[in-house]
Amino acid sequence: MGTIAIIAAVILGISFMTFVAFFGRLPALRNTPISFLHRLIWIHLPNGLLTVDRTLTNGRLTTSLTRLGRHLWYDQHPTILIFFFLLLSVGEYLYLPVAWPHFSFTHKFFGTIAILCPYLFLYLSAFTDPGVINAKTHVREMARYPYDFTLFHPGTSCETCRLLKPARSKHCSICKKCVGRMDHHCIFINNCVGANNQRWFILLLLSTAILTLYGGVLGLVIIRAKIQARFPYWTLLPWWTSTQAWNNGDLDFHRWLLLWSWGLQSGVAMGGVTLLALLTTPLVWGLLGYHLWLVYCGTTTNESMKWQDWQAEMDEGGVYKRRMAADGSREKDLKVEPAWTRWPVEAEQLMVRTEDGKPPRSSHRLPGEGEWEAVWRLKDVENLYDIGFWDNLVDVFLPYFMFKESKGRSPVDEREFGRERGRNRRRSS
């Protein structure tokens, strides 16, 4: 039992701490024990250690560790990517020599595919341009999505890149670049997850989830067969054991655990990897489910935090919306907006927050028409970027899919935005 306990405790501890580290800041987990643990680990404990270090070493140790921590967390480097690659490859190196001879031809065929796919999608996720916005790609990215006048407003510039920020883009402080439809920066791929590589990232999660589940179950089947070959009355779960075996004293709960330990120790390497796969697979499937939920909602990790910020503003009061031109006839400012985008719908509303909690007074300076309406719930706000689950999937897996043609324009006519901006510059000069 000692071997099982140690392996399980280490794996569960690593999985849980990984979950807290990466998900503790999510708005959905605010005011939960996960959020409290995240603050304890990343705020309160470091502050306590800082106080002790200032007393003992005048802060020299903390300065060195802070510099190292900032490099690991806020600089672009392949350390975690290499760790993830080694976790896959070393785990398979320990697992396959024992397990492979027990596989049927079918399991060998599908197992080979399951083993290779994570490496393929890891490469594509890590080395595909996520949608970096620069002078060459700016016009194309501006024509990808319209501004929704809720989360994204025209006219906002990136102070670092010195470019107008396209709708749904964000500047990554780690990559030091703006990325189109930015979801988040993932240290496991040493790259941002953006418009051009989100499909590969989702397939990486899917293939890794399948690999951990498939490998864990097959390993479990091999261990079970090995134990039952010598102890036929043993079952995978204690309540599946026949009543006769329990009554005869052939198997009680303590002996059931001892036989589990014996099965693992007869092939420690494969048994340890099997436990690792089974205990981490819920985390990987959870990550996959979370990102598919974001696709279903037509949003990203970055945008979900913006929506939660709006909900916090609504709770305090002072959030108002009004409709945009119902016939889509709003005159666009071509100095800061594209004349046309590939997206099938345009902004339906303008949402603002006022400091005094009253409707905006200078309405004529703001786009839209009609009266201002107080907003208290997110479900009363239209998400311009949610066009249905299947079309959302198309947008993720075919990032340049043309959802509409406008006034006879073809995809190359996205350059019209650049020409309009050039004409406006000449007029203003």
Side-chain angles (χ1 to χ4, degrees), residues 3-4 98 219-220 222-228 231 234 256-272:
T3 303
I4 297 179
V98 179
L220 207 61
I222 293 171
I223 293 172
R224 183 191 64 179
K226 185 178 297 185
I227 298 174
Q228 288 183 338
F231 306 98
W234 186 89
W256 178 84
L257 289 175
L258 286 176
L259 295 181
W260 244 122
S261 180
W262 177 83
L264 287 174
Q265 290 176 354
S266 61
V268 175
M270 191 203 72

Side-chain angles (χ1 to χ4, degrees), residues 147-154 324 330 337 347 349-351 367:
Y147 293 98
D148 65 349
F149 290 86
T150 300
L151 302 181
F152 304 98
H153 296 264
M324 305 293 268
R330 180 181 67 86
E337 291 184 79
Q349 73 210 353
L350 166 69
M351 194 159 70

Side-chain angles (χ1 to χ4, degrees), residues 321-345:
K321 71 172 184 177
R322 71 173 180 179
R323 68 179 182 276
M324 305 293 268
D327 57 359
S329 60
R330 180 181 67 86
E331 184 177 350
K332 295 184 176 182
D333 183 356
L334 298 182
K335 294 180 181 179
V336 294
E337 291 184 79
W340 172 81
T341 69
R342 68 186 183 93
W343 204 240
V345 290

